[in-house]
Amino acid sequence: MSAPKKLFIKTYGCQMNVYDSERMGEALTSEGYVTTDSADDADMILLNTCHIREKAAEKVYSELGRFRPLKEANPDLKIGVAGCVAQAEGAEIIKRQPMVDLVVGPQSYHRLPELEAKVRKGEKALDTDFPEEDKFGQLPKRPKAARGPNAFLTVQEGCDKFCAFCVVPYTRGAEVSRPADRVLNEAQDLVERGVREITLLGQNVNAYHGHDGGLAGLIHALAEIDGLERIRFTTSHPNDMDDALIAAHGEVAKLMPYLHLPVQSGSDRILKAMNRKHTAEEYLRLLERIRAARPDILMSGDFIVGFPGETDADFEDTMTLVAEVGYGQAFSFKYSARPGTPAAEREEVAEDVKNARLQQLQSLLVQQQRAAQEAMVGRNVRVLFEKPGRMPGQMVGKSEYLHAVHVTADGIDAGDLSDVRIVESSSNSLAGELLSSG
Ligand code: SAH
Ligand code: SF4
Ligand code: F3S
């Protein structure tokens, strides 16, 4: 048997890309590849890319530039671009960077073995179709190898919402849900390999409709799997938070009290211009209902500042909404015009105004995040341990609320789920003391 070829995958963007990268690695095992952590000795480099903001897309080209010496030293090295930049730019990528051998979109990577065979023959390979066949149905069975306690599991892909700023409906295509039996089988399989927490993924995960009762129905079914201790899901759109899903937060003990529910803006005028199809008030009322079902839930969100037409008053509305919600975690971005989206046609807010607003918003969000962490001090949480920390004897894991918690104690293993008392909050994590092991 010949020595295995080495595949280096670098992942950008959202968690769905993390999941896809795992599956791409698995798809290429049939061609004799094993994954490696270093580009230097790779036979193939795959960049799994993100197109969401201009900076994210440009990173790909600068990264490709860095691989040039490797390609010069080893002409047999193959370089591929996958993910959302591949979908958005297609053949343009090879034009701009001719050393790229392969371009594959997020809906066609199950065809990687054929594409790889093509590039091995010295040809270029390009596939950015949205094929009829279900890529997950075509991918090889997942390996049985043991894995860590956390896993992502994509259940839904694509988006039909067409927010005016967003490339996702174009790069990922129309909304599709995976059939529940396949999802449940994959979850069972992950649990048999050591997984104790599954995060269900979708660009619009709460639009999932592959199970009776939608995402809530799927969550109830997953909760029946012995050995699966924790369920999370991301990312949700406010308009798809149905009654059953809200209720699930109170009913399903395995569903963790953390919800990422982006609102983008607190101004009704801007929400309308963004095509978000709800008002700030509706979002706040929705949160009230969610908090009634699960009072301790930790809220997370995404915000865009400087959307075209955003005035000082609109921005103040965002600040007011944030103050009212009290986020435990949040992500905020300067608006970035994306080619092909409706908002890209509109006049932009000045860069210095965007910068000032971003700074102001981020300082409030950081303050809220710190306050949420401080509020954990003295409380008991359950931590799912993942890996050793930076200090000797330290293990790190996540609480129910997705806070990183580190504990120094003997005998903790990755995968342990233990009671921990929080004793201190530092900038990005909590320190705890072990109460019980398990
Ligand atoms: N499906 C998710 C979000 C996907 S993109 C949802 O609907 O919430 C992740 C985040 O990137 C978005 O929530 C938004 O805040 C941000 N984003 C998307 N397009 C952007 C753009 N053109 N400029 C700046 N931020 C953007
Ligand atoms: Fe993009 Fe909006 Fe769809 Fe989220 S809901 S992926 S922001 S179009
Ligand atoms: Fe980026 Fe595509 Fe995810 S654009 S955020 S990698 S869906």
Side-chain angles (χ1 to χ4, degrees), residues 373-404:
Q373 273 188 214
E374 292 289 340
M376 301 310 297
V377 175
R379 283 179 58 181
N380 295 350
V381 295
R382 267 178 91 67
V383 175
L384 178 59
F385 286 100
E386 293 167 16
K387 56 181 186 220
R390 270 180 302 168
M391 309 300 280
Q394 202 179 59
M395 285 293 285
V396 212
K398 298 275 165 48
S399 77
E400 301 88 324
Y401 307 100
L402 212 56
H403 283 131

mmCIF file of all heavy atoms in Angstrom, residues 373-404:
data_model
loop_
_atom_site.group_PDB
_atom_site.id
_atom_site.type_symbol
_atom_site.label_atom_id
_atom_site.label_comp_id
_atom_site.label_asym_id
_atom_site.label_seq_id
_atom_site.Cartn_x
_atom_site.Cartn_y
_atom_site.Cartn_z
ATOM 1 N N GLN A 373 -20.903 37.397 33.394
ATOM 2 C CA GLN A 373 -19.884 36.503 33.966
ATOM 3 C C GLN A 373 -19.756 36.716 35.463
ATOM 4 O O GLN A 373 -19.710 35.755 36.230
ATOM 5 C CB GLN A 373 -18.531 36.763 33.303
ATOM 6 C CG GLN A 373 -18.334 35.957 32.051
ATOM 7 C CD GLN A 373 -16.916 36.070 31.509
ATOM 8 O OE1 GLN A 373 -16.740 36.042 30.327
ATOM 9 N NE2 GLN A 373 -15.910 36.216 32.366
ATOM 10 N N GLU A 374 -19.696 38.000 35.875
ATOM 11 C CA GLU A 374 -19.582 38.318 37.312
ATOM 12 C C GLU A 374 -20.735 37.697 38.087
ATOM 13 O O GLU A 374 -20.554 37.230 39.216
ATOM 14 C CB GLU A 374 -19.608 39.846 37.540
ATOM 15 C CG GLU A 374 -18.384 40.592 37.019
ATOM 16 C CD GLU A 374 -17.128 40.327 37.852
ATOM 17 O OE1 GLU A 374 -17.278 39.889 39.015
ATOM 18 O OE2 GLU A 374 -16.017 40.546 37.320
ATOM 19 N N ALA A 375 -21.912 37.705 37.455
ATOM 20 C CA ALA A 375 -23.102 37.197 38.140
ATOM 21 C C ALA A 375 -23.004 35.692 38.412
ATOM 22 O O ALA A 375 -23.772 35.147 39.201
ATOM 23 C CB ALA A 375 -24.351 37.496 37.311
ATOM 24 N N MET A 376 -22.061 35.031 37.738
ATOM 25 C CA MET A 376 -21.898 33.584 37.954
ATOM 26 C C MET A 376 -21.061 33.287 39.201
ATOM 27 O O MET A 376 -21.081 32.161 39.704
ATOM 28 C CB MET A 376 -21.208 32.927 36.744
ATOM 29 C CG MET A 376 -21.902 33.075 35.406
ATOM 30 S SD MET A 376 -23.637 32.648 35.396
ATOM 31 C CE MET A 376 -23.567 30.916 35.809
ATOM 32 N N VAL A 377 -20.307 34.269 39.674
ATOM 33 C CA VAL A 377 -19.409 34.013 40.808
ATOM 34 C C VAL A 377 -20.237 33.649 42.042
ATOM 35 O O VAL A 377 -21.207 34.340 42.366
ATOM 36 C CB VAL A 377 -18.495 35.238 41.083
ATOM 37 C CG1 VAL A 377 -17.641 35.008 42.334
ATOM 38 C CG2 VAL A 377 -17.608 35.519 39.874
ATOM 39 N N GLY A 378 -19.859 32.526 42.669
ATOM 40 C CA GLY A 378 -20.605 32.056 43.838
ATOM 41 C C GLY A 378 -21.679 31.038 43.473
ATOM 42 O O GLY A 378 -22.247 30.378 44.342
ATOM 43 N N ARG A 379 -21.966 30.925 42.148
ATOM 44 C CA ARG A 379 -22.995 29.964 41.743
ATOM 45 C C ARG A 379 -22.399 28.604 41.389
ATOM 46 O O ARG A 379 -21.238 28.508 41.013
ATOM 47 C CB ARG A 379 -23.763 30.501 40.514
ATOM 48 C CG ARG A 379 -24.777 31.572 40.895
ATOM 49 C CD ARG A 379 -25.498 32.088 39.686
ATOM 50 N NE ARG A 379 -26.211 31.054 38.932
ATOM 51 C CZ ARG A 379 -26.902 31.300 37.824
ATOM 52 N NH1 ARG A 379 -26.983 32.523 37.363
ATOM 53 N NH2 ARG A 379 -27.520 30.315 37.191
ATOM 54 N N ASN A 380 -23.235 27.586 41.461
ATOM 55 C CA ASN A 380 -22.817 26.254 41.032
ATOM 56 C C ASN A 380 -23.300 26.021 39.602
ATOM 57 O O ASN A 380 -24.455 26.302 39.292
ATOM 58 C CB ASN A 380 -23.414 25.178 41.928
ATOM 59 C CG ASN A 380 -22.894 25.281 43.359
ATOM 60 O OD1 ASN A 380 -21.952 26.044 43.624
ATOM 61 N ND2 ASN A 380 -23.497 24.545 44.260
ATOM 62 N N VAL A 381 -22.400 25.537 38.773
ATOM 63 C CA VAL A 381 -22.778 25.216 37.394
ATOM 64 C C VAL A 381 -22.325 23.789 37.097
ATOM 65 O O VAL A 381 -21.589 23.194 37.884
ATOM 66 C CB VAL A 381 -22.109 26.182 36.377
ATOM 67 C CG1 VAL A 381 -22.611 27.596 36.569
ATOM 68 C CG2 VAL A 381 -20.590 26.131 36.467
ATOM 69 N N ARG A 382 -22.792 23.264 35.963
ATOM 70 C CA ARG A 382 -22.266 21.971 35.515
ATOM 71 C C ARG A 382 -21.362 22.220 34.322
ATOM 72 O O ARG A 382 -21.723 22.949 33.399
ATOM 73 C CB ARG A 382 -23.408 21.026 35.139
ATOM 74 C CG ARG A 382 -23.796 20.155 36.332
ATOM 75 C CD ARG A 382 -24.929 19.241 36.053
ATOM 76 N NE ARG A 382 -24.533 17.932 35.547
ATOM 77 C CZ ARG A 382 -23.870 17.011 36.249
ATOM 78 N NH1 ARG A 382 -23.450 17.268 37.476
ATOM 79 N NH2 ARG A 382 -23.607 15.834 35.725
ATOM 80 N N VAL A 383 -20.182 21.627 34.392
ATOM 81 C CA VAL A 383 -19.187 21.873 33.348
ATOM 82 C C VAL A 383 -18.916 20.582 32.580
ATOM 83 O O VAL A 383 -18.686 19.535 33.183
ATOM 84 C CB VAL A 383 -17.870 22.405 33.961
ATOM 85 C CG1 VAL A 383 -16.785 22.548 32.894
ATOM 86 C CG2 VAL A 383 -18.113 23.754 34.648
ATOM 87 N N LEU A 384 -18.992 20.676 31.264
ATOM 88 C CA LEU A 384 -18.554 19.562 30.423
ATOM 89 C C LEU A 384 -17.106 19.850 30.037
ATOM 90 O O LEU A 384 -16.832 20.784 29.273
ATOM 91 C CB LEU A 384 -19.445 19.444 29.178
ATOM 92 C CG LEU A 384 -19.059 18.344 28.185
ATOM 93 C CD1 LEU A 384 -19.071 16.962 28.828
ATOM 94 C CD2 LEU A 384 -19.975 18.356 26.960
ATOM 95 N N PHE A 385 -16.193 19.068 30.583
ATOM 96 C CA PHE A 385 -14.775 19.332 30.353
ATOM 97 C C PHE A 385 -14.349 18.878 28.956
ATOM 98 O O PHE A 385 -14.796 17.835 28.465
ATOM 99 C CB PHE A 385 -13.923 18.676 31.439
ATOM 100 C CG PHE A 385 -14.020 19.412 32.741
ATOM 101 C CD1 PHE A 385 -14.842 18.951 33.762
ATOM 102 C CD2 PHE A 385 -13.328 20.609 32.920
ATOM 103 C CE1 PHE A 385 -14.957 19.654 34.950
ATOM 104 C CE2 PHE A 385 -13.444 21.324 34.107
ATOM 105 C CZ PHE A 385 -14.261 20.847 35.129
ATOM 106 N N GLU A 386 -13.483 19.716 28.342
ATOM 107 C CA GLU A 386 -13.084 19.455 26.951
ATOM 108 C C GLU A 386 -11.609 19.140 26.787
ATOM 109 O O GLU A 386 -11.234 18.286 26.006
ATOM 110 C CB GLU A 386 -13.410 20.682 26.076
ATOM 111 C CG GLU A 386 -14.897 20.921 25.932
ATOM 112 C CD GLU A 386 -15.228 22.282 25.338
ATOM 113 O OE1 GLU A 386 -14.330 22.930 24.751
ATOM 114 O OE2 GLU A 386 -16.392 22.703 25.479
ATOM 115 N N LYS A 387 -10.753 19.918 27.478
ATOM 116 C CA LYS A 387 -9.313 19.751 27.206
ATOM 117 C C LYS A 387 -8.493 20.387 28.328
ATOM 118 O O LYS A 387 -9.020 21.185 29.108
ATOM 119 C CB LYS A 387 -8.961 20.420 25.877
ATOM 120 C CG LYS A 387 -9.361 21.879 25.837
ATOM 121 C CD LYS A 387 -9.036 22.517 24.505
ATOM 122 C CE LYS A 387 -9.337 24.001 24.616
ATOM 123 N NZ LYS A 387 -9.933 24.642 23.557
ATOM 124 N N PRO A 388 -7.192 20.052 28.365
ATOM 125 C CA PRO A 388 -6.332 20.674 29.374
ATOM 126 C C PRO A 388 -6.248 22.178 29.162
ATOM 127 O O PRO A 388 -6.317 22.660 28.029
ATOM 128 C CB PRO A 388 -4.959 20.029 29.118
ATOM 129 C CG PRO A 388 -5.234 18.795 28.350
ATOM 130 C CD PRO A 388 -6.474 19.052 27.551
ATOM 131 N N GLY A 389 -6.114 22.921 30.248
ATOM 132 C CA GLY A 389 -5.955 24.373 30.150
ATOM 133 C C GLY A 389 -4.493 24.749 29.999
ATOM 134 O O GLY A 389 -3.640 23.889 29.789
ATOM 135 N N ARG A 390 -4.220 26.035 30.128
ATOM 136 C CA ARG A 390 -2.847 26.498 29.910
ATOM 137 C C ARG A 390 -1.933 26.206 31.105
ATOM 138 O O ARG A 390 -0.739 26.031 30.964
ATOM 139 C CB ARG A 390 -2.826 27.996 29.587
ATOM 140 C CG ARG A 390 -2.939 28.242 28.079
ATOM 141 C CD ARG A 390 -2.929 29.708 27.785
ATOM 142 N NE ARG A 390 -4.033 30.372 28.491
ATOM 143 C CZ ARG A 390 -4.177 31.674 28.637
ATOM 144 N NH1 ARG A 390 -3.268 32.481 28.152
ATOM 145 N NH2 ARG A 390 -5.208 32.182 29.260
ATOM 146 N N MET A 391 -2.541 26.195 32.311
ATOM 147 C CA MET A 391 -1.724 25.962 33.510
ATOM 148 C C MET A 391 -1.656 24.458 33.784
ATOM 149 O O MET A 391 -2.590 23.725 33.465
ATOM 150 C CB MET A 391 -2.350 26.660 34.727
ATOM 151 C CG MET A 391 -2.675 28.119 34.501
ATOM 152 S SD MET A 391 -1.226 29.081 34.082
ATOM 153 C CE MET A 391 -0.558 29.312 35.716
ATOM 154 N N PRO A 392 -0.538 24.006 34.397
ATOM 155 C CA PRO A 392 -0.430 22.576 34.706
ATOM 156 C C PRO A 392 -1.575 22.124 35.614
ATOM 157 O O PRO A 392 -1.938 22.842 36.553
ATOM 158 C CB PRO A 392 0.919 22.461 35.438
ATOM 159 C CG PRO A 392 1.560 23.798 35.395
ATOM 160 C CD PRO A 392 0.622 24.791 34.840
ATOM 161 N N GLY A 393 -2.128 20.960 35.327
ATOM 162 C CA GLY A 393 -3.192 20.405 36.168
ATOM 163 C C GLY A 393 -4.558 21.023 35.926
ATOM 164 O O GLY A 393 -5.533 20.692 36.595
ATOM 165 N N GLN A 394 -4.636 21.914 34.942
ATOM 166 C CA GLN A 394 -5.909 22.612 34.697
ATOM 167 C C GLN A 394 -6.703 21.930 33.567
ATOM 168 O O GLN A 394 -6.122 21.467 32.598
ATOM 169 C CB GLN A 394 -5.568 24.039 34.270
ATOM 170 C CG GLN A 394 -6.667 25.043 34.471
ATOM 171 C CD GLN A 394 -6.208 26.434 34.025
ATOM 172 O OE1 GLN A 394 -5.838 26.625 32.877
ATOM 173 N NE2 GLN A 394 -6.230 27.378 34.946
ATOM 174 N N MET A 395 -8.029 21.876 33.760
ATOM 175 C CA MET A 395 -8.902 21.427 32.671
ATOM 176 C C MET A 395 -9.918 22.528 32.374
ATOM 177 O O MET A 395 -10.346 23.250 33.277
ATOM 178 C CB MET A 395 -9.659 20.160 33.066
ATOM 179 C CG MET A 395 -8.821 18.887 33.069
ATOM 180 S SD MET A 395 -8.262 18.365 31.430
ATOM 181 C CE MET A 395 -9.786 17.701 30.752
ATOM 182 N N VAL A 396 -10.288 22.631 31.076
ATOM 183 C CA VAL A 396 -11.251 23.656 30.685
ATOM 184 C C VAL A 396 -12.465 22.998 30.051
ATOM 185 O O VAL A 396 -12.355 22.000 29.345
ATOM 186 C CB VAL A 396 -10.682 24.620 29.606
ATOM 187 C CG1 VAL A 396 -11.259 26.005 29.760
ATOM 188 C CG2 VAL A 396 -9.204 24.652 29.604
ATOM 189 N N GLY A 397 -13.607 23.590 30.317
ATOM 190 C CA GLY A 397 -14.837 23.111 29.704
ATOM 191 C C GLY A 397 -15.835 24.246 29.624
ATOM 192 O O GLY A 397 -15.477 25.408 29.813
ATOM 193 N N LYS A 398 -17.091 23.886 29.333
ATOM 194 C CA LYS A 398 -18.125 24.916 29.203
ATOM 195 C C LYS A 398 -19.242 24.650 30.207
ATOM 196 O O LYS A 398 -19.630 23.506 30.444
ATOM 197 C CB LYS A 398 -18.725 24.893 27.800
ATOM 198 C CG LYS A 398 -17.730 25.188 26.689
ATOM 199 C CD LYS A 398 -17.573 26.675 26.457
ATOM 200 C CE LYS A 398 -16.337 26.997 25.629
ATOM 201 N NZ LYS A 398 -16.186 26.193 24.440
ATOM 202 N N SER A 399 -19.772 25.741 30.743
ATOM 203 C CA SER A 399 -20.951 25.633 31.611
ATOM 204 C C SER A 399 -22.184 25.517 30.728
ATOM 205 O O SER A 399 -22.107 25.623 29.502
ATOM 206 C CB SER A 399 -21.059 26.868 32.501
ATOM 207 O OG SER A 399 -21.562 27.954 31.740
ATOM 208 N N GLU A 400 -23.339 25.358 31.350
ATOM 209 C CA GLU A 400 -24.608 25.344 30.614
ATOM 210 C C GLU A 400 -24.748 26.604 29.756
ATOM 211 O O GLU A 400 -25.328 26.585 28.681
ATOM 212 C CB GLU A 400 -25.817 25.356 31.572
ATOM 213 C CG GLU A 400 -25.941 24.242 32.547
ATOM 214 C CD GLU A 400 -25.205 24.486 33.865
ATOM 215 O OE1 GLU A 400 -24.108 25.096 33.861
ATOM 216 O OE2 GLU A 400 -25.721 24.045 34.902
ATOM 217 N N TYR A 401 -24.213 27.708 30.306
ATOM 218 C CA TYR A 401 -24.404 29.021 29.669
ATOM 219 C C TYR A 401 -23.318 29.321 28.640
ATOM 220 O O TYR A 401 -23.174 30.450 28.205
ATOM 221 C CB TYR A 401 -24.431 30.099 30.757
ATOM 222 C CG TYR A 401 -25.430 29.785 31.847
ATOM 223 C CD1 TYR A 401 -25.008 29.231 33.061
ATOM 224 C CD2 TYR A 401 -26.785 29.983 31.651
ATOM 225 C CE1 TYR A 401 -25.933 28.908 34.055
ATOM 226 C CE2 TYR A 401 -27.703 29.658 32.635
ATOM 227 C CZ TYR A 401 -27.276 29.116 33.834
ATOM 228 O OH TYR A 401 -28.188 28.786 34.809
ATOM 229 N N LEU A 402 -22.544 28.297 28.324
ATOM 230 C CA LEU A 402 -21.462 28.389 27.342
ATOM 231 C C LEU A 402 -20.295 29.255 27.810
ATOM 232 O O LEU A 402 -19.457 29.672 27.018
ATOM 233 C CB LEU A 402 -22.001 28.900 25.989
ATOM 234 C CG LEU A 402 -21.320 28.379 24.717
ATOM 235 C CD1 LEU A 402 -21.328 26.865 24.640
ATOM 236 C CD2 LEU A 402 -22.002 28.926 23.471
ATOM 237 N N HIS A 403 -20.233 29.538 29.093
ATOM 238 C CA HIS A 403 -19.047 30.211 29.615
ATOM 239 C C HIS A 403 -17.897 29.202 29.684
ATOM 240 O O HIS A 403 -18.104 28.056 30.116
ATOM 241 C CB HIS A 403 -19.294 30.737 31.033
ATOM 242 C CG HIS A 403 -20.119 31.987 31.079
ATOM 243 N ND1 HIS A 403 -21.210 32.133 31.906
ATOM 244 C CD2 HIS A 403 -20.009 33.150 30.390
ATOM 245 C CE1 HIS A 403 -21.729 33.336 31.731
ATOM 246 N NE2 HIS A 403 -21.037 33.975 30.807
ATOM 247 N N ALA A 404 -16.700 29.652 29.291
ATOM 248 C CA ALA A 404 -15.519 28.807 29.476
ATOM 249 C C ALA A 404 -15.188 28.806 30.965
ATOM 250 O O ALA A 404 -15.133 29.853 31.594
ATOM 251 C CB ALA A 404 -14.357 29.364 28.669
#
